[in-house]
Amino acid sequence: MDAFYRAALNHGGRDNGASGERPYHSGYYAAFVLDPDGNNIEAVYHGKARRSAPSVVIDFQS
């Protein structure tokens, strides 16, 4: 997250909320930047993930 935020600012993005924990829920860590066109981009980590269904399999075919 921190690397995303720094890279975005170094490539023309503008700060719209530095990397940090947010009060939305426990484990919500995010950074916000505005791209050169003014679009808000959010990178977010919601905490450690759990499978909701153990039978789900993701397979990438080449």
Side-chain angles (χ1 to χ4, degrees):
M1 199 69 53
D2 298 336
F4 157 80
Y5 179 75
R6 285 190 308 270
L9 295 181
N10 288 334
H11 290 89
R14 294 188 326 265
D15 170 50
N16 200 29
S19 298
E21 192 164 351
R22 302 293 194 262
Y24 309 131
H25 65 75
S26 178
Y28 194 108
Y29 192 89
F32 299 86
V33 295
L34 297 173
D35 72 10
D37 293 326
N39 298 301
N40 184 53
I41 301 170
E42 175 187 14
V44 64
Y45 174 73
H46 290 283
K48 187 175 178 181
R50 294 184 311 257
R51 286 185 179 262
S52 60
S55 63
V56 173
V57 176
I58 299 171
D59 185 16
F60 293 94
Q61 305 278 330
S62 53

